[in-house]
Amino acid sequence: MGVVAVVAVCAVLAVPAFLVPGLSRRPERGTRRTLGAGARAGGKAPGILGRLFGKPFHTGSRAMSRSGSAGRRSRGRMPF
């Protein structure tokens, strides 16, 4: 379920990044902030469990950042 949510948010972030690159950074920062809070909360578990609980949030945040930057990068390559 979580993977589907991250994929859906990545797709939603890629579209505004392509259409309106300047306005796409704020939603991207919001999702990064939300996932960062989850990673911090998961990271408070003791020992190796902290890394295991925080890892999905870090991975999701990285995926969302990549989709936004890919949309902006592809917009920059367009001839118009």
Side-chain angles (χ1 to χ4, degrees):
M1 184 69 171
V3 174
V4 175
V6 169
V7 170
V9 172
C10 285
V12 168
L13 281 177
V15 171
F18 182 76
L19 297 176
V20 193
L23 297 178
S24 69
R25 293 201 186 264
R26 189 169 180 139
E28 183 181 335
R29 275 189 303 231
T31 56
R32 260 190 292 162
R33 188 176 304 127
T34 303
L35 289 174
R40 283 190 301 276
K44 291 185 188 230
I48 196 166
L49 287 178
R51 286 191 296 276
L52 289 176
F53 290 159
K55 185 172 178 157
F57 295 102
H58 286 295
T59 307
S61 176
R62 190 171 55 211
M64 287 183 206
S65 295
R66 284 182 184 173
S67 71
S69 67
R72 285 187 292 274
R73 190 172 50 243
S74 62
R75 172 64 184 241
R77 292 180 184 162
M78 294 298 289
F80 48 88

